[in-house]
Amino acid sequence: MLYQSRLGILDRVRVLTKRRVELGVRGWSLVVGVLAAFVVVIQIVSSNFDIRGPVDLLAHDFVGRPGIGEIKMAGLILALVCMPARLRWWVLGGVLALEGVWNLQRVIVGNPGTIGNGILWGLVGTAVFAFWKLRGAEKAATLKAVGLGMMLIVMGRVGDAWLVLSTKANATVLDEYVELADRALGSPSWAVGRVVTDSAFLTEVCSRVYVYLPVGAAVIAFFQLRNVARDGFPRHHIVRTFLIIGMIGPIVYFIFPVVGPTYAFGHELAGAGWQDVWPWVSPDITEPVAAPYSQFIARNCMPSLHTAWAMAIFLHGWRGSTASRIFGTFWLIATTGATLGFGFHYAVDVLAGAVFTLTLEAALTRPETGWTKIRMGVVAMGAAMFAGLLALTRYAAMELATGGAAATALLLAPLVFTAAGFLLVERPELLSVEDRPGGPTFPGRRRRIFAQRSQV
């Protein structure tokens, strides 16, 4: 009887805290259907521009030489973390065996090895095994795990198609505007670029962090999702943030095309740069213009989605243990250093990426509190701040470059205000009692939960 009463109390606590949720068959089917429709749309658009779409790229990954192995590694890690514990070693062993077979034939014909085929076939085989042999909760957990891993891989290929489409849609780029605006911040890409260029150690660390961003997300997913096969999924986790960033963020590439300082003002692409001065000398710009640039280079700078994803790793890391907090903080700092130090982004791009993620997280975090007036206000403010940052960069670049401290404050204000708004949604206890979601009864509700926990 005592055991049953404790179970009853625990059930009530779960309902009150609403920390975990199961979407059910219809919910997961809807998610998969939306993503599949999105992939089909991008494939159709890609075909109209005579470029390889995500379906073509994935088909090649299965039977040819796969690309971007880091994302496939992250997808495998995510699937292993989320599936029932008794299956993990069997799936990992099967994937390693398949990778060995694929790479053995490459070695025989004299080609270098790679990874990806075994991961993809291993995940598909696991899904088939789950349909064929597993039952009940174990079957559902395994299929969800494989689905999440494959979603990450598929969205990676969607992103590749997005990048190529951005070059087809924009013959000109706005790098001169962003470079001038960046001067209000002290041209960080030039400063950090010199430091990273002169240090072999920093170059190695930053390059690893930059390339293995999906693996960094998988590490945080491990902290958040390692028990989902037993306890169910949290209402909010890093995977949904990552996927939504990847679906929405690239749209801005078509609105605000930028290639980055190492391409526009450096020698990353021989003969394509306007001035080969990065990171040693600031370029000579008298009047910014939207200038033509090689359409072999993606317009994927504004916002910096690497920073946006790293900010997601940071925010979700701080919701977990000390180890995940340290990891998330390191990853954000190292990613910021890499994006600037390699000349892939301007500082304004980095600020825009951070504002973008904070706004998105303000909409997604703490779903149990609902869409309160505070949340709606913060999301609206974040969207306005993001749009304002882009408008300032495009239409007031010269004034920002010569505006001194006032210009610096204008560029930093969107990040400061959006971060403060995000904290109000993430930490409602920072508000006064009357302003908290749920009104003055909120503390009492928390006391009831804590009282029930103390009885267990």
Side-chain angles (χ1 to χ4, degrees):
M1 291 295 292
L2 179 60
Y3 177 74
Q4 291 177 344
S5 65
R6 287 182 175 181
L7 285 178
I9 293 171
L10 283 173
D11 289 339
R12 289 196 298 273
V13 172
R14 290 191 187 104
V15 170
L16 286 168
T17 58
K18 298 182 180 179
R19 287 186 176 180
R20 296 186 177 268
V21 64
E22 290 299 331
L23 291 177
V25 175
R26 290 185 179 179
W28 282 100
S29 298
L30 177 62
V31 171
V32 172
V34 169
L35 288 177
F38 182 71
V39 171
V40 170
V41 169
I42 300 301
Q43 176 65 38
I44 294 172
V45 174
S46 300
S47 299
N48 289 336
F49 280 94
D50 295 323
I51 65 175
R52 299 180 68 183
V55 176
D56 294 333
L57 293 170
L58 284 167
H60 182 267
D61 284 344
F62 270 97
V63 297
R65 185 177 183 84
I68 317 182
E70 298 81 14
I71 292 182
K72 294 173 178 61
M73 287 173 55
L76 174 63
I77 293 171
L78 180 61
L80 292 173
V81 166
C82 295
M83 69 177 53
R86 79 176 187 89
L87 298 177
R88 289 171 183 165
W89 288 109
W90 290 103
V91 173
L92 180 60
V95 166
L96 292 176
L98 289 169
E99 290 289 353
V101 171
W102 279 94
N103 284 289
L104 177 61
Q105 60 87 20
R106 290 190 176 105
V107 172
I108 291 173
V109 299
N111 291 330
T114 186
I115 59 172
N117 304 99
I119 292 174
L120 291 171
W121 285 107
L123 290 177
V124 170
T126 302
V128 172
F129 173 79
F131 269 114
W132 179 35
K133 287 290 186 180
L134 301 182
R135 296 291 182 270
E138 189 176 47
K139 175 180 179 179
T142 304
L143 291 175
K144 290 172 187 176
V146 172
L148 281 176
M150 288 301 295
M151 280 181 192
L152 194 61
I153 294 170
V154 170
M155 290 307 297
R157 280 317 200 178
V158 169
D160 294 338
W162 268 120
L163 297 184
V164 179
L165 285 172
S166 74
T167 68
K168 299 292 185 181
N170 296 289
T172 61
V173 296
L174 304 176
D175 283 72
E176 290 190 356
Y177 294 92
V178 188
E179 196 283 324
L180 282 175
D182 239 31
R183 296 182 186 183
L185 301 168
S187 298
S189 182
W190 267 252
V192 179
R194 290 192 291 270
V195 173
V196 173
T197 300
D198 288 340
S199 172
F201 173 75
L202 287 178
T203 298
E204 181 66 19
V205 171
C206 289
S207 64
R208 294 295 180 184
V209 170
Y210 193 86
V211 170
Y212 284 95
L213 175 74
V215 179
V219 171
I220 296 299
F222 167 78
F223 287 108
Q224 291 184 328
L225 306 177
R226 62 188 182 276
N227 295 319
V228 296
R230 183 191 66 200
D231 301 333
F233 280 83
R235 289 181 62 89
H236 180 46
H237 52 82
I238 192 170
V239 179
R240 63 194 294 244
T241 303
F242 247 64
L243 293 177
I244 295 175
I245 288 175
M247 292 177 69
I248 300 175
I251 296 173
V252 188
Y253 296 163
F254 297 84
I255 302 170
F256 206 107
V258 181
V259 295
T262 190
Y263 290 101
F265 304 107
H267 51 267
E268 188 73 23
L269 183 65
W274 304 318
Q275 303 175 46
D276 189 359
V277 296
W278 182 89
W280 309 110
V281 181
S282 295
D284 182 19
I285 302 173
T286 55
E287 186 68 32
V289 295
Y293 193 83
S294 168
Q295 290 186 286
F296 290 102
I297 301 300
R299 279 64 168 143
N300 63 333
C301 280
M302 181 64 82
S304 168
L305 291 192
H306 251 80
T307 302
W309 280 313
M311 176 63 77
I313 291 173
F314 171 78
L315 294 176
H316 284 270
W318 270 83
R319 295 188 179 108
S321 63
T322 301
S324 71
R325 292 181 180 184
I326 294 172
F327 180 85
T329 302
F330 162 77
W331 209 270
L332 176 61
I333 294 172
T335 299
T336 303
T339 57
L340 296 174
F342 295 140
F344 296 149
H345 290 281
Y346 304 89
V348 175
D349 307 335
V350 172
L351 291 176
V355 171
F356 178 76
T357 296
L358 286 167
T359 303
L360 184 60
E361 273 292 304
L364 297 174
T365 191
R366 301 294 296 270
E368 69 272 14
T369 63
W371 276 90
T372 63
K373 291 182 179 179
I374 293 172
R375 187 193 298 273
M376 290 187 287
V378 169
V379 172
M381 179 194 69
M385 290 290 177
F386 180 80
L389 184 59
L390 268 60
L392 269 176
T393 303
R394 174 62 178 83
Y395 298 106
M398 189 64 74
E399 290 78 7
L400 289 171
T402 59
T408 304
L410 274 176
L411 289 177
L412 293 177
L415 177 61
V416 173
F417 283 112
T418 308
F422 166 77
L423 284 175
L424 292 181
V425 178
E426 176 75 6
R427 301 285 301 277
E429 61 269 23
L430 297 175
L431 298 171
S432 63
V433 171
E434 289 76 12
D435 292 333
R436 288 173 180 164
T441 61
F442 182 78
R445 187 163 66 249
R446 289 179 65 187
R447 281 197 297 271
R448 288 197 301 274
I449 295 172
F450 294 147
Q452 290 169 346
R453 285 177 174 170
S454 66
Q455 297 172 18
V456 177

